[in-house]
Amino acid sequence: MEFEAVIGLEIHIELNCATKLFCDCPNNPGDDANVNTCPVCLWFPGAWPRLSRAALEKAALVCLGLNSEIQPESAFDQKIYYYPDQPKGYQLSQGHLPLARGGWVEITDEDGSIKRLRIHHIHMEEDVARLVHEMDGATPVSLVDFNRAGAPLVEIVTEPDFRTPHHAMEFLKILRTQVRYVGSSECSMENGTMRADANISIRPVGTNQMNTKVEVKNMNSVRHVGDAIAHEISRQSAAVRVGETIKEHTRLWDPDKKATLPMREKFEAPYIPDPSIPVIEIKPEEIAALRSRLPEMPATRAGRFVKEYGLSAEEAAYLSSEPETASYFEELIRLGVAARTAMHWVSTQLLPALRQRNEGLAHTLVTPKRLSELLAMLAKDEINAAAARDVLAHMFASDVSPADIVKARGLGQVSDTGELAAMVERVLAEQAAAVADFKSGQSKAMGFLIGQVMQASAGKANPKVIKELIAQKLSM
Amino acid sequence: MDSIFSYLNPDAPGGATGPHAGMKIAVQPTIGIAGWPARAGSEALAGYLSAGSATVIDRLTQGGAILTGLTHASELGLGVDDTSTSGRAVETKTVHAELMLDMAGEARLSACRGNLWGFKPSWGRVSHTGIAGLIPSMEACGILAQDPATIRSVLKTVAGADDMDFSQPRLDYKEISADEIKPAQFTLSVIGEAATLLSGDERKEFDEEITGLKRYGFNVRTVSWPDYNLCLTVHRIVGSVEASSAAGRYDSVRFGRRAPGTKNWNEMYLQSRGAFFGTLLKSYLIQGAYFQFERYDAYENACRIRARLLKEASRLFEQTDVLVFPSQKPAQPASLDALYEQFKLTAHANVTGCPALYMPSACAGGQGLEFAAGYGADERVIALGEYLHRQRAGGKL
């Protein structure tokens, strides 16, 4: 029997607010343990939560960025469960009246078609504390760090529209891009600002059954999500084939063993309304005002890049995948760089170099202005491409202008035909075999000869001029 | 003093100015005062010192009031029992007023026990900040005093919007003084269903109290609130569910004592949590957990009924200025049922969020009366109390 998977995702995103969700403590979970705490996020007796307006706005922008409909009324509930990382006995979450309902993300399916994956709802909730288990000599010690307790989260709960690991991975990539665009989160699975759980069940292909689902947690990258889902589909299919019954429970993905392992039985916590936080009322004009703050979203921007700058769909999608990249690219164009040159240099030189240096566009010394100055010198044949790459490498370390780097390193391009003609003469005399090859119709020999002249000029010669000079000499 | 107070203010008061200069206040240890013990009558909070002061405390001390000390509380302020000394400091005139939680009627019942005036404000009229209650949707900071004018004075200072408490409704509260009470135009209504809960002797006493009101010229009529008795059922379900959740934070790990002899951290957490609550409170919390996990449908039904009760109460207050209820002195509760027996005539105000004032009886041994007004009409019941207090002082009763 052939099976197909029915998959839904629950994605937690930590909002990049300055403060926590219900108090004014800094939202910096990575600081020294327990420095960002107060009676509210420690839930001391008498503590009374105050909802952060900034967090509400950032959460609402996530909803709008994911085409979800913000509800006129939403409210917080107490999700009742106890664990040492949640010592007040309940988590403030929106169980009954979520901030937004509906929504969708469109992905490109494996066959190239566009598939719309629906969102069921989006709600806000507070994060829990972090447990740290250490050894004090031979004694195991368990510590609780409350820096993360009360950090603002949104949870995106999808419909069970996914059928393959590809769907889940593409959904997460697009969702991450869209949330980064609205500026509400960094959405890094590696850093824990985005966490995804998957609910997976299987059914015979062609049926509409909704069978017992298994929840899988602990996936720290998009790749892990895909691998874990693939493994779980395979595990459940094998189990059903030998007559086993799938029981509802939670499993953990073990990336080393590349397997999902049983964790616990599925626990459904009850929700009761929380009286300490008033019902959130959002008026249509407030939603309109928030909507006006949305930036041009990635799919729209990519479409415009194709239309306005003549990029291919793939190039446009690549440049649009991060808002900073897209803005950088457009700033280069505004500064006079040709679109294709800008696309080429950003995607093949700048971004790989930044990744190698573990830097981002936001803080690099290679500002659009400086890169545009470098590319202007290239366009005017003042330097050649090899020299431009060399100059770029030096631009990451200092804010000296590209022109000064060229000057200091003597990288100015030699286009003087008199000076280059002597070099060409010498190379042609030394490379008789290549000259013969060229004359016998082997055009590749031209490249070799140009390279020899470039080498003789220490990389400064203008390759266009060299080519012309060689062609002249050999056609005589 | 120690028989009344669990903690006495070590700082000698003096020199304070303001509207409450010289006014002595006793405080139930469910209300936070920075650096003071906040045991709230529970072993689960043994040794805990308040991290900050409740807004009500800040406002009173800024107004010149003197915090005399902390009373002894029933466990986490729930119910009125023999361990609670609420009302005693006012009764003995050691202080002028006392602040305490009213989650199901405790402030009014303590007033009844001590023959004092006791007031529960509208829900949210007074900031919750710094008050460690169990039933957040029903509780309010109550005020006990020898006379309603003192209650008005304290309320004026502690009430009002607090930027630290977003749950407070933003209402315009209408001032009304005792001088504006005109008995002939002021409607008082007795809920017939409440009166039927009394024994024969109690009913007789209640009727005498009503006769007293009529002597002042008030037209007192009887109205029906068919669902009145559901107030207690709703309170018992919703209150215990909220309490079970609210008490979760008293984990005996960060506060109070940890369970001894546990093998690892997980066992320590699990065994400490709830271990140091008393039997009555444990019963209440277990009841709440039962509704949370096993009979959530009953909790949802109780919430729906509560919404209906709110509407019904609003309709009653459209037809009357003040509702009049009988009162009963609280008996020592030995069980959960006995605890709720205490609340059968008081829980309505907590369920509906309405303001309620207990007026002591003018007769020796009398049970007194409780007045309730529509949501937000706090000053109306206080003005009625002031009017009646004046009349009594004038020897008219």
Side-chain angles (χ1 to χ4, degrees), chain B residues 7-13 33-37 66-70:
Chain B
Y7 179 82
L8 284 168
N9 188 351
D11 299 325
I33 302 174
W36 286 29
I66 300 158
L67 304 176
T68 301
L70 299 172

Side-chain angles (χ1 to χ4, degrees), chain B residues 4-5 20 22-28 31 33 56-57 60 65-71 85-100 107 111 116-119 141-158:
Chain B
I4 295 176
F5 292 101
H20 299 295
M23 178 184 274
K24 292 180 184 173
I25 306 281
V27 180
Q28 189 186 49
I31 299 170
I33 302 174
V56 291
I57 297 297
L60 278 172
I66 300 158
L67 304 176
T68 301
L70 299 172
T71 61
T85 58
S86 294
R88 300 285 187 231
V90 180
E91 192 182 347
T92 56
K93 300 191 177 172
T94 311
V95 298
H96 298 93
E98 180 176 329
L99 302 180
M100 66 176 293
L116 308 168
W117 292 76
F119 177 67
C141 178
I143 305 166
L144 308 185
Q146 290 276 0
D147 58 79
T150 303
I151 289 173
R152 179 192 285 274
S153 158
V154 171
L155 179 69
K156 193 171 179 183
T157 297
V158 299

Side-chain angles (χ1 to χ4, degrees), chain A residues 380-396:
Chain A
K380 285 188 242 168
D381 284 341
E382 291 169 13
I383 53 172
N384 61 34
R389 285 193 290 273
D390 192 6
V391 173
L392 178 64
H394 287 86
M395 287 166 66
F396 290 103

Side-chain angles (χ1 to χ4, degrees), chain A residues 185-463:
Chain A
S185 175
E186 284 66 49
C187 285
S188 164
M189 290 191 80
E190 291 75 14
N191 294 337
T193 52
M194 183 163 101
R195 307 191 284 267
D197 302 333
N199 288 296
I200 305 151
S201 64
I202 58 164
R203 65 185 178 195
V205 172
T207 65
N208 289 321
Q209 295 170 19
M210 295 300 271
N211 292 330
T212 305
K213 64 188 179 188
V214 172
E215 183 184 42
V216 181
K217 289 176 174 287
N218 197 40
M219 298 162 293
N220 299 326
S221 69
V222 172
R223 169 62 63 87
H224 283 181
V225 172
D227 289 347
I229 290 173
H231 174 271
E232 188 55 22
I233 294 170
S234 164
R235 187 192 71 79
Q236 289 187 29
S237 301
V240 170
R241 282 197 181 99
V242 297
E244 283 180 25
T245 305
I246 303 294
K247 289 183 182 160
E248 189 169 9
H249 69 294
T250 299
R251 300 176 75 85
L252 287 181
W253 170 245
D254 185 328
D256 297 327
K257 292 181 180 164
K258 293 203 175 298
T260 62
L261 303 173
M263 177 194 177
R264 56 169 159 79
E265 287 185 11
K266 179 75 177 162
F267 170 73
E268 290 292 346
Y271 289 84
I272 67 162
D274 183 272
S276 60
I277 307 161
V279 170
I280 300 163
E281 292 178 8
I282 304 182
K283 298 185 178 73
E285 55 268 29
E286 290 170 320
I287 296 172
L290 280 167
R291 201 180 290 283
S292 72
R293 284 168 52 185
L294 282 181
E296 183 183 31
M297 295 304 281
T300 314
R301 202 168 199 178
R304 184 167 60 76
F305 283 4
V306 170
K307 200 171 164 188
E308 280 184 23
Y309 305 128
L311 303 185
S312 70
E314 290 75 20
E315 290 166 345
Y318 177 75
L319 286 178
S320 305
S321 62
E322 297 290 343
E324 295 83 5
T325 309
S327 299
Y328 193 104
F329 166 74
E330 291 214 274
E331 182 63 9
L332 284 178
I333 291 171
R334 197 188 66 77
L335 290 165
V337 180
R340 292 216 63 79
T341 305
M343 187 279 296
H344 174 74
W345 276 80
V346 167
S347 58
T348 66
Q349 301 299 323
L350 180 64
L351 294 179
L354 284 171
R355 271 196 295 275
Q356 205 170 25
R357 287 168 170 78
N358 205 19
E359 288 178 16
L361 280 172
H363 303 294
T364 181
L365 291 174
V366 185
T367 59
K369 184 170 181 301
R370 293 181 75 220
L371 184 56
S372 71
E373 288 168 8
L374 176 68
L375 296 178
M377 292 172 78
L378 180 66
K380 285 188 242 168
D381 284 341
E382 291 169 13
I383 53 172
N384 61 34
R389 285 193 290 273
D390 192 6
V391 173
L392 178 64
H394 287 86
M395 287 166 66
F396 290 103
S398 84
D399 59 359
V400 176
S401 75
D404 287 345
I405 295 172
V406 167
K407 202 170 169 186
R409 297 183 61 79
L411 293 171
Q413 183 161 258
V414 179
S415 300
D416 177 66
T417 46
E419 197 177 331
L420 292 178
M423 284 186 210
V424 168
E425 287 280 3
R426 194 165 62 247
V427 166
L428 293 182
E430 289 167 2
Q431 303 293 340
V435 170
D437 286 348
F438 181 78
K439 285 187 173 174
S440 67
Q442 293 184 37
S443 57
K444 278 199 290 187
M446 173 61 94
F448 173 77
L449 291 168
I450 293 171
Q452 291 300 306
V453 180
M454 287 297 291
Q455 204 172 6
S457 73
K460 295 180 199 169
N462 183 334

Side-chain angles (χ1 to χ4, degrees), chain B residues 78-145:
Chain B
L78 182 67
V80 179
D81 62 20
D82 292 346
T83 63
S84 158
T85 58
S86 294
R88 300 285 187 231
V90 180
E91 192 182 347
T92 56
K93 300 191 177 172
T94 311
V95 298
H96 298 93
E98 180 176 329
L99 302 180
M100 66 176 293
L101 263 175
D102 190 313
M103 298 183 282
E106 290 86 347
R108 290 159 283 155
L109 291 165
S110 297
C112 181
R113 185 173 71 171
N115 221 35
L116 308 168
W117 292 76
F119 177 67
K120 181 201 87 75
S122 293
W123 188 88
R125 178 78 193 273
V126 176
S127 168
H128 294 90
T129 307
I131 299 176
L134 276 174
I135 313 177
S137 81
M138 300 195 190
E139 67 201 22
C141 178
I143 305 166
L144 308 185

Side-chain angles (χ1 to χ4, degrees), chain B residues 250-291:
Chain B
Y250 308 127
D251 57 8
S252 282
V253 174
R254 297 171 305 146
F255 322 108
R257 293 189 283 125
R258 297 181 183 187
T262 51
K263 282 185 288 193
N264 55 48
W265 67 281
N266 199 30
E267 195 179 291
M268 182 275 291
Y269 265 98
L270 291 173
Q271 291 197 11
S272 300
R273 191 163 187 258
F276 301 101
F277 289 138
T279 305
L280 191 65
L281 185 65
K282 264 187 194 162
S283 308
Y284 194 51
L285 303 182
I286 289 168
Q287 180 192 284
Y290 172 74
F291 285 117

